[in-house]
Amino acid sequence: MRRISDFRLLVSGLTLSWVGNGFQTVALAVAVVKAGGGPGDLGLVMAASIVARLACTLFGGVWADRLQPQRVMVVSDLIRMLAAAGMAVMFFSGGYHLALLCALAAISTGAASFFDPAFGALRPLLVPVEKRQSANATISMLQTGSQVAGPALGGVTVAAFGASAGFTVNALSFLASMIAALLLRVRAERGPRASMLSELGDGWREIRKRDWLMFGLFGATVYHIANGIILVLVQIVAIERLGGPSAAGFIAAAEGLGGLIGAAIALRFKPRRLLRAGWLTLLLMPLWALAYVWPAELIAVIAGAIVGYAGLIFFDVAWETAIQDQVPQRMLGRVSSWDYLTSFIAMPIGNVLAGPLSAKYGTSPVLTACAAVLFLSAAAQFLVPGTRRLTRPQVSPTPATRSPELAEATGS
């Protein structure tokens, strides 16, 4: 009962912060443009965020395993709240300083790099083993819904009250998340500390022990490079060939709907070989990319987005659940940080390659090749013995875990 109460409390605070991030996404672009900055300024702010993420993620994993993870989350939320408040004050006062904005963005993203591994380390403590998949699906559903609702609400708010209002809402959302983390009662067991480098190495050695995890991370790196290229090119295709900004909006909505469907399926469909099922559903994502090439019609792209993103989110739930099942809790922060790092390294590489590759070979051939890479990087995982054989642990629920309150909390 106590763990389920903590789960509800945490996801309530997190949902508010995820929605608040959507406000800041809109506010940042509007604020920079209205202050006289252009794509170059916005690109520098984004680059500062990426550099901070790359520099801090692995260290965030170490501290998540050294301390109680909720303590790391509280400090992270406090820093992010102050950074968002600083942006609100800067733009409200009319003083636009690019260097300060880059610094605040880097500080905020650096703090998030500590928050994410801590959240990864905390998640399996909040629900019993047999409810992890349902809990992960619930979190994915709320996060996906927030990524749709946040920018939509943020756009309305920024249009009505200005960019500073968007930053202010985001700061308040971090306050809500911080309060939720402060109220958590669950505790993780922590052992003696070693040097930072030694603990970083321990995280990687934990990954190497599991072939499904190590090759999964390599496959995900290749996947994210290709997907980084795709995400740039499909925006251009949507605007130039499929109907302009309105088409891009419809496609984004379809992606969100697909994600919600994938999470809803993960709530109910619980195979013993969950990881294998997850890699199978990830094979649907190339359909989304290929729809931009053929038939290259808006309705086909929307359908591909729904199907592809449903598969992607189901895979995310399966992957997170497998890590929580198989990796000792005391190592989860470091393993999660290596997982996050592969994505954050690979995606910007793909973004940078999109322009030169499309200029040399054409948009459609590059999209086709990248769709093939998506398919092969997922299909290759079935050559890994651990991926084929990994099963979820069988745990007989205790009477307490069969309670209606638990079923309601995790949607099962």
PDB file of all heavy atoms in Angstrom, residues 188-214:
ATOM      1  N   ALA A 188      16.133   3.276  -0.643  1.00  0.00           N
ATOM      2  CA  ALA A 188      16.989   2.313  -1.330  1.00  0.00           C
ATOM      3  C   ALA A 188      18.178   1.979  -0.449  1.00  0.00           C
ATOM      4  O   ALA A 188      18.686   2.828   0.290  1.00  0.00           O
ATOM      5  CB  ALA A 188      17.476   2.887  -2.658  1.00  0.00           C
ATOM      6  N   GLU A 189      18.641   0.735  -0.535  1.00  0.00           N
ATOM      7  CA  GLU A 189      19.845   0.328   0.194  1.00  0.00           C
ATOM      8  C   GLU A 189      21.071   0.835  -0.570  1.00  0.00           C
ATOM      9  O   GLU A 189      21.167   0.701  -1.779  1.00  0.00           O
ATOM     10  CB  GLU A 189      19.900  -1.189   0.311  1.00  0.00           C
ATOM     11  CG  GLU A 189      18.815  -1.783   1.192  1.00  0.00           C
ATOM     12  CD  GLU A 189      18.982  -3.279   1.379  1.00  0.00           C
ATOM     13  OE1 GLU A 189      20.020  -3.815   0.930  1.00  0.00           O
ATOM     14  OE2 GLU A 189      18.073  -3.905   1.958  1.00  0.00           O
ATOM     15  N   ARG A 190      21.989   1.417   0.172  1.00  0.00           N
ATOM     16  CA  ARG A 190      23.202   1.950  -0.437  1.00  0.00           C
ATOM     17  C   ARG A 190      24.428   1.393   0.264  1.00  0.00           C
ATOM     18  O   ARG A 190      24.463   1.299   1.497  1.00  0.00           O
ATOM     19  CB  ARG A 190      23.202   3.489  -0.364  1.00  0.00           C
ATOM     20  CG  ARG A 190      22.145   4.127  -1.277  1.00  0.00           C
ATOM     21  CD  ARG A 190      22.524   3.878  -2.709  1.00  0.00           C
ATOM     22  NE  ARG A 190      21.572   4.424  -3.687  1.00  0.00           N
ATOM     23  CZ  ARG A 190      20.738   3.676  -4.391  1.00  0.00           C
ATOM     24  NH1 ARG A 190      20.703   2.364  -4.218  1.00  0.00           N
ATOM     25  NH2 ARG A 190      19.949   4.221  -5.285  1.00  0.00           N
ATOM     26  N   GLY A 191      25.438   1.007  -0.527  1.00  0.00           N
ATOM     27  CA  GLY A 191      26.655   0.423   0.018  1.00  0.00           C
ATOM     28  C   GLY A 191      27.781   1.432   0.094  1.00  0.00           C
ATOM     29  O   GLY A 191      27.593   2.629  -0.119  1.00  0.00           O
ATOM     30  N   PRO A 192      29.000   0.970   0.377  1.00  0.00           N
ATOM     31  CA  PRO A 192      30.165   1.871   0.467  1.00  0.00           C
ATOM     32  C   PRO A 192      30.514   2.462  -0.894  1.00  0.00           C
ATOM     33  O   PRO A 192      30.254   1.860  -1.940  1.00  0.00           O
ATOM     34  CB  PRO A 192      31.283   0.959   0.977  1.00  0.00           C
ATOM     35  CG  PRO A 192      30.855  -0.426   0.579  1.00  0.00           C
ATOM     36  CD  PRO A 192      29.362  -0.432   0.662  1.00  0.00           C
ATOM     37  N   ARG A 193      31.106   3.629  -0.874  1.00  0.00           N
ATOM     38  CA  ARG A 193      31.471   4.312  -2.115  1.00  0.00           C
ATOM     39  C   ARG A 193      32.892   3.957  -2.539  1.00  0.00           C
ATOM     40  O   ARG A 193      33.743   3.624  -1.716  1.00  0.00           O
ATOM     41  CB  ARG A 193      31.368   5.822  -1.929  1.00  0.00           C
ATOM     42  CG  ARG A 193      29.972   6.331  -1.633  1.00  0.00           C
ATOM     43  CD  ARG A 193      30.000   7.843  -1.495  1.00  0.00           C
ATOM     44  NE  ARG A 193      28.700   8.366  -1.084  1.00  0.00           N
ATOM     45  CZ  ARG A 193      28.465   9.648  -0.823  1.00  0.00           C
ATOM     46  NH1 ARG A 193      29.446  10.534  -0.930  1.00  0.00           N
ATOM     47  NH2 ARG A 193      27.261  10.045  -0.449  1.00  0.00           N
ATOM     48  N   ALA A 194      33.119   4.073  -3.834  1.00  0.00           N
ATOM     49  CA  ALA A 194      34.469   3.966  -4.393  1.00  0.00           C
ATOM     50  C   ALA A 194      34.753   5.253  -5.162  1.00  0.00           C
ATOM     51  O   ALA A 194      33.985   6.213  -5.095  1.00  0.00           O
ATOM     52  CB  ALA A 194      34.570   2.740  -5.296  1.00  0.00           C
ATOM     53  N   SER A 195      35.823   5.292  -5.923  1.00  0.00           N
ATOM     54  CA  SER A 195      36.111   6.483  -6.717  1.00  0.00           C
ATOM     55  C   SER A 195      35.089   6.629  -7.844  1.00  0.00           C
ATOM     56  O   SER A 195      34.440   5.664  -8.251  1.00  0.00           O
ATOM     57  CB  SER A 195      37.521   6.386  -7.311  1.00  0.00           C
ATOM     58  OG  SER A 195      37.557   5.375  -8.312  1.00  0.00           O
ATOM     59  N   MET A 196      34.977   7.845  -8.323  1.00  0.00           N
ATOM     60  CA  MET A 196      34.007   8.120  -9.383  1.00  0.00           C
ATOM     61  C   MET A 196      34.277   7.252 -10.613  1.00  0.00           C
ATOM     62  O   MET A 196      33.354   6.634 -11.163  1.00  0.00           O
ATOM     63  CB  MET A 196      34.066   9.595  -9.764  1.00  0.00           C
ATOM     64  CG  MET A 196      33.101  10.014 -10.862  1.00  0.00           C
ATOM     65  SD  MET A 196      31.369   9.977 -10.364  1.00  0.00           S
ATOM     66  CE  MET A 196      31.328  11.345  -9.186  1.00  0.00           C
ATOM     67  N   LEU A 197      35.528   7.180 -11.051  1.00  0.00           N
ATOM     68  CA  LEU A 197      35.860   6.399 -12.242  1.00  0.00           C
ATOM     69  C   LEU A 197      35.600   4.918 -12.023  1.00  0.00           C
ATOM     70  O   LEU A 197      35.137   4.206 -12.926  1.00  0.00           O
ATOM     71  CB  LEU A 197      37.319   6.629 -12.644  1.00  0.00           C
ATOM     72  CG  LEU A 197      37.641   8.015 -13.222  1.00  0.00           C
ATOM     73  CD1 LEU A 197      39.127   8.121 -13.543  1.00  0.00           C
ATOM     74  CD2 LEU A 197      36.812   8.287 -14.467  1.00  0.00           C
ATOM     75  N   SER A 198      35.901   4.436 -10.812  1.00  0.00           N
ATOM     76  CA  SER A 198      35.657   3.030 -10.507  1.00  0.00           C
ATOM     77  C   SER A 198      34.165   2.715 -10.572  1.00  0.00           C
ATOM     78  O   SER A 198      33.763   1.680 -11.124  1.00  0.00           O
ATOM     79  CB  SER A 198      36.217   2.691  -9.129  1.00  0.00           C
ATOM     80  OG  SER A 198      35.897   1.357  -8.776  1.00  0.00           O
ATOM     81  N   GLU A 199      33.354   3.594 -10.040  1.00  0.00           N
ATOM     82  CA  GLU A 199      31.909   3.360 -10.063  1.00  0.00           C
ATOM     83  C   GLU A 199      31.343   3.480 -11.463  1.00  0.00           C
ATOM     84  O   GLU A 199      30.402   2.764 -11.832  1.00  0.00           O
ATOM     85  CB  GLU A 199      31.219   4.317  -9.094  1.00  0.00           C
ATOM     86  CG  GLU A 199      31.553   4.015  -7.639  1.00  0.00           C
ATOM     87  CD  GLU A 199      30.718   4.818  -6.662  1.00  0.00           C
ATOM     88  OE1 GLU A 199      29.616   5.249  -7.023  1.00  0.00           O
ATOM     89  OE2 GLU A 199      31.171   5.025  -5.522  1.00  0.00           O
ATOM     90  N   LEU A 200      31.891   4.382 -12.258  1.00  0.00           N
ATOM     91  CA  LEU A 200      31.482   4.452 -13.672  1.00  0.00           C
ATOM     92  C   LEU A 200      31.804   3.137 -14.380  1.00  0.00           C
ATOM     93  O   LEU A 200      30.992   2.612 -15.145  1.00  0.00           O
ATOM     94  CB  LEU A 200      32.199   5.603 -14.380  1.00  0.00           C
ATOM     95  CG  LEU A 200      31.642   7.011 -14.189  1.00  0.00           C
ATOM     96  CD1 LEU A 200      32.562   8.029 -14.842  1.00  0.00           C
ATOM     97  CD2 LEU A 200      30.237   7.121 -14.770  1.00  0.00           C
ATOM     98  N   GLY A 201      32.994   2.627 -14.135  1.00  0.00           N
ATOM     99  CA  GLY A 201      33.380   1.353 -14.743  1.00  0.00           C
ATOM    100  C   GLY A 201      32.514   0.206 -14.280  1.00  0.00           C
ATOM    101  O   GLY A 201      32.206  -0.705 -15.063  1.00  0.00           O
ATOM    102  N   ASP A 202      32.094   0.237 -13.015  1.00  0.00           N
ATOM    103  CA  ASP A 202      31.202  -0.813 -12.511  1.00  0.00           C
ATOM    104  C   ASP A 202      29.890  -0.842 -13.291  1.00  0.00           C
ATOM    105  O   ASP A 202      29.344  -1.912 -13.568  1.00  0.00           O
ATOM    106  CB  ASP A 202      30.905  -0.581 -11.022  1.00  0.00           C
ATOM    107  CG  ASP A 202      32.110  -0.880 -10.140  1.00  0.00           C
ATOM    108  OD1 ASP A 202      33.038  -1.562 -10.620  1.00  0.00           O
ATOM    109  OD2 ASP A 202      32.112  -0.418  -8.986  1.00  0.00           O
ATOM    110  N   GLY A 203      29.402   0.344 -13.634  1.00  0.00           N
ATOM    111  CA  GLY A 203      28.165   0.399 -14.417  1.00  0.00           C
ATOM    112  C   GLY A 203      28.326  -0.252 -15.774  1.00  0.00           C
ATOM    113  O   GLY A 203      27.453  -1.007 -16.222  1.00  0.00           O
ATOM    114  N   TRP A 204      29.450   0.023 -16.443  1.00  0.00           N
ATOM    115  CA  TRP A 204      29.670  -0.573 -17.760  1.00  0.00           C
ATOM    116  C   TRP A 204      29.897  -2.081 -17.659  1.00  0.00           C
ATOM    117  O   TRP A 204      29.419  -2.842 -18.502  1.00  0.00           O
ATOM    118  CB  TRP A 204      30.860   0.088 -18.448  1.00  0.00           C
ATOM    119  CG  TRP A 204      31.134  -0.511 -19.799  1.00  0.00           C
ATOM    120  CD1 TRP A 204      32.199  -1.250 -20.175  1.00  0.00           C
ATOM    121  CD2 TRP A 204      30.270  -0.440 -20.945  1.00  0.00           C
ATOM    122  NE1 TRP A 204      32.081  -1.640 -21.484  1.00  0.00           N
ATOM    123  CE2 TRP A 204      30.899  -1.159 -21.988  1.00  0.00           C
ATOM    124  CE3 TRP A 204      29.045   0.173 -21.195  1.00  0.00           C
ATOM    125  CZ2 TRP A 204      30.333  -1.294 -23.248  1.00  0.00           C
ATOM    126  CZ3 TRP A 204      28.477   0.040 -22.456  1.00  0.00           C
ATOM    127  CH2 TRP A 204      29.116  -0.684 -23.464  1.00  0.00           C
ATOM    128  N   ARG A 205      30.596  -2.507 -16.602  1.00  0.00           N
ATOM    129  CA  ARG A 205      30.803  -3.951 -16.419  1.00  0.00           C
ATOM    130  C   ARG A 205      29.476  -4.662 -16.162  1.00  0.00           C
ATOM    131  O   ARG A 205      29.298  -5.809 -16.599  1.00  0.00           O
ATOM    132  CB  ARG A 205      31.789  -4.192 -15.276  1.00  0.00           C
ATOM    133  CG  ARG A 205      33.248  -3.963 -15.657  1.00  0.00           C
ATOM    134  CD  ARG A 205      34.187  -4.367 -14.547  1.00  0.00           C
ATOM    135  NE  ARG A 205      34.161  -3.416 -13.444  1.00  0.00           N
ATOM    136  CZ  ARG A 205      34.911  -2.321 -13.396  1.00  0.00           C
ATOM    137  NH1 ARG A 205      35.735  -2.025 -14.390  1.00  0.00           N
ATOM    138  NH2 ARG A 205      34.846  -1.512 -12.341  1.00  0.00           N
ATOM    139  N   GLU A 206      28.555  -4.001 -15.511  1.00  0.00           N
ATOM    140  CA  GLU A 206      27.236  -4.582 -15.283  1.00  0.00           C
ATOM    141  C   GLU A 206      26.507  -4.777 -16.615  1.00  0.00           C
ATOM    142  O   GLU A 206      25.804  -5.774 -16.816  1.00  0.00           O
ATOM    143  CB  GLU A 206      26.416  -3.671 -14.364  1.00  0.00           C
ATOM    144  CG  GLU A 206      25.239  -4.330 -13.696  1.00  0.00           C
ATOM    145  CD  GLU A 206      25.640  -5.367 -12.661  1.00  0.00           C
ATOM    146  OE1 GLU A 206      26.702  -5.211 -12.017  1.00  0.00           O
ATOM    147  OE2 GLU A 206      24.875  -6.348 -12.497  1.00  0.00           O
ATOM    148  N   ILE A 207      26.707  -3.859 -17.542  1.00  0.00           N
ATOM    149  CA  ILE A 207      26.106  -3.982 -18.871  1.00  0.00           C
ATOM    150  C   ILE A 207      26.737  -5.139 -19.642  1.00  0.00           C
ATOM    151  O   ILE A 207      26.047  -5.936 -20.280  1.00  0.00           O
ATOM    152  CB  ILE A 207      26.264  -2.656 -19.642  1.00  0.00           C
ATOM    153  CG1 ILE A 207      25.386  -1.563 -19.010  1.00  0.00           C
ATOM    154  CG2 ILE A 207      25.915  -2.833 -21.125  1.00  0.00           C
ATOM    155  CD1 ILE A 207      25.639  -0.178 -19.543  1.00  0.00           C
ATOM    156  N   ARG A 208      28.059  -5.259 -19.563  1.00  0.00           N
ATOM    157  CA  ARG A 208      28.759  -6.296 -20.322  1.00  0.00           C
ATOM    158  C   ARG A 208      28.399  -7.707 -19.870  1.00  0.00           C
ATOM    159  O   ARG A 208      28.569  -8.660 -20.629  1.00  0.00           O
ATOM    160  CB  ARG A 208      30.267  -6.088 -20.214  1.00  0.00           C
ATOM    161  CG  ARG A 208      30.774  -4.857 -20.967  1.00  0.00           C
ATOM    162  CD  ARG A 208      32.275  -4.725 -20.835  1.00  0.00           C
ATOM    163  NE  ARG A 208      32.961  -5.900 -21.387  1.00  0.00           N
ATOM    164  CZ  ARG A 208      34.262  -6.128 -21.254  1.00  0.00           C
ATOM    165  NH1 ARG A 208      35.015  -5.272 -20.570  1.00  0.00           N
ATOM    166  NH2 ARG A 208      34.807  -7.209 -21.791  1.00  0.00           N
ATOM    167  N   LYS A 209      27.905  -7.855 -18.668  1.00  0.00           N
ATOM    168  CA  LYS A 209      27.506  -9.173 -18.180  1.00  0.00           C
ATOM    169  C   LYS A 209      26.288  -9.711 -18.922  1.00  0.00           C
ATOM    170  O   LYS A 209      26.025 -10.912 -18.869  1.00  0.00           O
ATOM    171  CB  LYS A 209      27.165  -9.093 -16.684  1.00  0.00           C
ATOM    172  CG  LYS A 209      28.336  -8.837 -15.766  1.00  0.00           C
ATOM    173  CD  LYS A 209      27.831  -8.741 -14.324  1.00  0.00           C
ATOM    174  CE  LYS A 209      28.942  -8.388 -13.352  1.00  0.00           C
ATOM    175  NZ  LYS A 209      28.413  -8.239 -11.972  1.00  0.00           N
ATOM    176  N   ARG A 210      25.536  -8.860 -19.570  1.00  0.00           N
ATOM    177  CA  ARG A 210      24.266  -9.240 -20.181  1.00  0.00           C
ATOM    178  C   ARG A 210      24.311  -8.945 -21.671  1.00  0.00           C
ATOM    179  O   ARG A 210      24.308  -7.777 -22.075  1.00  0.00           O
ATOM    180  CB  ARG A 210      23.113  -8.461 -19.519  1.00  0.00           C
ATOM    181  CG  ARG A 210      22.981  -8.762 -18.035  1.00  0.00           C
ATOM    182  CD  ARG A 210      22.189  -7.700 -17.287  1.00  0.00           C
ATOM    183  NE  ARG A 210      22.040  -8.081 -15.887  1.00  0.00           N
ATOM    184  CZ  ARG A 210      22.964  -7.841 -14.946  1.00  0.00           C
ATOM    185  NH1 ARG A 210      24.102  -7.220 -15.275  1.00  0.00           N
ATOM    186  NH2 ARG A 210      22.749  -8.230 -13.704  1.00  0.00           N
ATOM    187  N   ASP A 211      24.358  -9.993 -22.489  1.00  0.00           N
ATOM    188  CA  ASP A 211      24.494  -9.768 -23.928  1.00  0.00           C
ATOM    189  C   ASP A 211      23.321  -8.987 -24.498  1.00  0.00           C
ATOM    190  O   ASP A 211      23.482  -8.128 -25.369  1.00  0.00           O
ATOM    191  CB  ASP A 211      24.684 -11.097 -24.670  1.00  0.00           C
ATOM    192  CG  ASP A 211      23.529 -12.069 -24.494  1.00  0.00           C
ATOM    193  OD1 ASP A 211      22.603 -11.793 -23.704  1.00  0.00           O
ATOM    194  OD2 ASP A 211      23.546 -13.136 -25.157  1.00  0.00           O
ATOM    195  N   TRP A 212      22.103  -9.252 -24.002  1.00  0.00           N
ATOM    196  CA  TRP A 212      20.929  -8.551 -24.511  1.00  0.00           C
ATOM    197  C   TRP A 212      21.006  -7.054 -24.236  1.00  0.00           C
ATOM    198  O   TRP A 212      20.516  -6.234 -25.029  1.00  0.00           O
ATOM    199  CB  TRP A 212      19.642  -9.116 -23.898  1.00  0.00           C
ATOM    200  CG  TRP A 212      19.558  -8.982 -22.404  1.00  0.00           C
ATOM    201  CD1 TRP A 212      19.961  -9.878 -21.471  1.00  0.00           C
ATOM    202  CD2 TRP A 212      19.039  -7.857 -21.676  1.00  0.00           C
ATOM    203  NE1 TRP A 212      19.733  -9.393 -20.199  1.00  0.00           N
ATOM    204  CE2 TRP A 212      19.164  -8.149 -20.296  1.00  0.00           C
ATOM    205  CE3 TRP A 212      18.479  -6.637 -22.051  1.00  0.00           C
ATOM    206  CZ2 TRP A 212      18.751  -7.281 -19.291  1.00  0.00           C
ATOM    207  CZ3 TRP A 212      18.064  -5.748 -21.051  1.00  0.00           C
ATOM    208  CH2 TRP A 212      18.198  -6.076 -19.696  1.00  0.00           C
ATOM    209  N   LEU A 213      21.648  -6.676 -23.117  1.00  0.00           N
ATOM    210  CA  LEU A 213      21.754  -5.265 -22.748  1.00  0.00           C
ATOM    211  C   LEU A 213      22.862  -4.573 -23.538  1.00  0.00           C
ATOM    212  O   LEU A 213      22.670  -3.483 -24.082  1.00  0.00           O
ATOM    213  CB  LEU A 213      21.998  -5.162 -21.240  1.00  0.00           C
ATOM    214  CG  LEU A 213      22.070  -3.767 -20.626  1.00  0.00           C
ATOM    215  CD1 LEU A 213      20.869  -2.916 -21.000  1.00  0.00           C
ATOM    216  CD2 LEU A 213      22.200  -3.879 -19.106  1.00  0.00           C
ATOM    217  N   MET A 214      24.021  -5.218 -23.628  1.00  0.00           N
ATOM    218  CA  MET A 214      25.138  -4.608 -24.336  1.00  0.00           C
ATOM    219  C   MET A 214      24.830  -4.446 -25.829  1.00  0.00           C
ATOM    220  O   MET A 214      24.994  -3.355 -26.394  1.00  0.00           O
ATOM    221  CB  MET A 214      26.409  -5.445 -24.156  1.00  0.00           C
ATOM    222  CG  MET A 214      27.637  -4.789 -24.775  1.00  0.00           C
ATOM    223  SD  MET A 214      29.168  -5.689 -24.411  1.00  0.00           S
ATOM    224  CE  MET A 214      28.883  -7.221 -25.305  1.00  0.00           C
TER     225      MET A 214
END
